[in-house]
Amino acid sequence: MTPARRSGAEAPPALLVVLLLLLTTTASGGAARASSPRVPAVIVFGDSTVDTGNNNQIPTPLRADFPPYGRDMPGGARATGRFGNGRLPPDLISEALGLPPLVPAYLDPAYGIDDFARGVCFASAGTGIDDATAGVLSVIPLWKEVEYYEEYQRRLRERLGPRRAAAVVRGALHVVSIGTNDFLENYFLLATGRFAEFTVPEFEDFLVAGARAFLARIHRLGARRVTFAGLAAIGCLPLERTTNALRGGGCVEEYNEVARSFNAKARAMVRGLRAELPGLKLAFVSVYESFLNLITDPAKYGLENVEEGCCATGKFEMGFMCNDDAALTCDDADKFLFWDAFHPTEKVNRLMANHTLEVCYQEGVL
């Protein structure tokens, strides 16, 4: 049953499930274990699940630098470009590791290399593993994120010297979250022609090969501690439920099946790459099953609505459609799995951050 919107009930996303599971196994707020080696920085690649504000600085319609985005940020409402009501998983991971509570966006002019030496985000909302995905909404392609990473390292060497800069990169936790847009914004939206070029299994293989090439490249550039997040149950996002209205408005099982298939291939790729590349501590972070747990047993996690977003009607609004003039926005986002029709709430992001850290500890990344 979906409660009245003003009651604050909302639908939890895939990320929420994972995060909640980890909350039960880690200290409140995801505190790092004292025995873990010191992590000098958190370095982030990916899409809107981890973009801390880079899209604010580029000419794209996909932005979140206006209210009510950021309404629950620490210290008061502040729309930073994060697609959520508050912080994202990299922010919470950084804080848990004793680093700053916000990971700055590389393109944000308010920050400089001294800030980036402790954490930096190259992610861009709307991007994907496939370069064509970034072209749909004119955002930063993954190859450009890597170019920024190379530029960042040059700046770091100039500031810290070669030896200290290399130590920062080598010791940093690299967080990668990407892939959803390749399917929902690109392939299934028929936006780029990939649907005519590849079958679904072939497109999965294409993306996994692209992810492998990306991971190998950042390894050549010095990355040694890396997490690669799998896809959530993308067919259960509020926007996909809405577009599935003619079939009852439930989850789109076709999309969930694709997510499961992609995840299996990506997990195998990560396992092979870890065995092949010397010194690489690489972990695949599964979120799919945890997400389903949040949906099937929301009360266990204090959730009341896992089918809609908190913002506006929660059925299709995201980006500019999720704004201060939108009616029906919920009062308590913590009761929702999703903030808007595509992105989780901070509560779910915290669960995801904790889950990521737990996987890092279990697999020796930290």
Side-chain angles (χ1 to χ4, degrees):
M1 180 179 71
T2 299
R5 297 199 49 75
R6 282 293 173 183
S7 71
E10 269 307 323
L15 294 178
L16 177 63
V17 179
V18 194
L19 298 175
L20 287 163
L21 290 178
L22 283 168
L23 265 181
T24 65
T25 56
T26 58
S28 175
R33 299 179 183 181
S35 61
S36 65
R38 180 176 181 274
V39 177
V42 171
I43 298 176
V44 186
F45 299 90
D47 55 25
S48 59
T49 56
V50 290
D51 178 4
T52 60
N54 284 308
N55 275 23
N56 297 354
Q57 309 302 325
I58 63 174
T60 175
L62 189 57
R63 304 166 72 101
D65 54 344
F66 46 85
Y69 285 102
R71 75 174 194 187
D72 298 317
M73 287 290 287
R78 182 160 53 105
T80 62
R82 290 166 171 82
F83 279 81
N85 60 306
R87 290 185 288 173
L88 303 183
D91 300 313
L92 299 159
I93 290 170
S94 177
E95 181 178 56
L97 294 174
L99 294 166
L102 297 177
V103 177
Y106 185 64
L107 299 184
D108 190 335
Y111 297 95
I113 193 60
D114 289 334
D115 303 297
F116 300 146
R118 304 189 69 199
V120 61
C121 175
F122 304 107
S124 177
T127 202
I129 300 167
D130 182 4
D131 291 343
T133 302
V136 176
L137 290 169
S138 301
V139 299
I140 302 167
L142 187 57
W143 64 263
K144 186 64 177 179
E145 293 188 26
V146 178
E147 281 196 355
Y148 284 138
Y149 181 52
E150 293 176 300
E151 177 185 84
Y152 157 73
Q153 291 195 32
R154 290 193 295 271
R155 294 174 62 188
L156 203 60
R157 287 192 293 270
E158 291 172 0
R159 181 64 173 168
L160 302 180
R163 181 173 296 183
R164 288 180 60 199
V168 168
V169 172
R170 184 173 58 250
L173 179 62
H174 293 68
V175 176
V176 184
S177 179
I178 198 167
T180 296
N181 297 320
D182 291 300
F183 291 105
L184 299 186
E185 178 188 310
N186 177 346
Y187 192 92
F188 291 121
L189 201 58
L190 314 182
T192 67
R194 293 301 196 196
F195 69 96
E197 185 178 354
F198 298 108
T199 65
V200 172
E202 289 171 346
F203 191 57
E204 294 168 4
D205 294 340
F206 173 75
L207 295 178
V208 170
R212 187 187 192 284
F214 160 77
L215 292 169
R217 185 175 178 191
I218 64 170
H219 174 265
R220 289 194 299 272
L221 293 172
R224 292 297 180 270
R225 293 170 164 175
V226 185
T227 66
F228 185 87
L231 299 183
I234 58 177
C236 295
L237 300 178
L239 183 61
E240 305 312 321
R241 288 177 180 268
T242 299
T243 58
N244 198 35
L246 294 180
R247 290 187 286 179
C251 298
V252 182
E253 181 53 31
E254 175 190 4
Y255 294 174
N256 285 346
E257 184 177 348
V258 168
R260 291 192 295 269
S261 177
F262 172 85
N263 286 343
K265 294 175 179 179
R267 185 190 293 274
M269 176 273 291
V270 164
R271 187 165 53 246
L273 202 59
R274 189 169 55 222
E276 176 184 333
L277 297 179
L280 177 61
K281 298 178 179 179
L282 172 62
F284 179 82
V285 180
S286 175
V287 300
Y288 187 94
E289 296 78 9
S290 297
F291 176 60
L292 286 186
N293 289 341
L294 292 174
I295 292 175
T296 57
D297 192 8
K300 180 178 179 180
Y301 305 101
L303 300 171
E304 296 179 8
N305 190 323
V306 298
E307 297 179 0
E308 302 162 339
C310 168
C311 187
T313 68
K315 296 182 181 297
F316 60 88
E317 298 91 347
M318 62 173 284
F320 283 114
M321 290 186 290
C322 171
N323 57 63
D324 249 359
D325 295 325
L328 304 178
T329 295
C330 77
D331 294 323
D332 185 0
D334 281 352
K335 296 179 180 179
F336 286 73
L337 193 161
F338 298 95
W339 164 249
D340 60 18
F342 210 84
H343 303 98
T345 57
E346 183 184 288
K347 179 177 182 177
V348 174
N349 286 335
R350 183 175 294 278
L351 293 173
M352 177 58 69
N354 290 340
H355 177 59
T356 299
L357 287 169
E358 188 68 14
V359 170
C360 286
Y361 294 131
Q362 290 172 350
E363 300 198 11
V365 176
L366 296 177

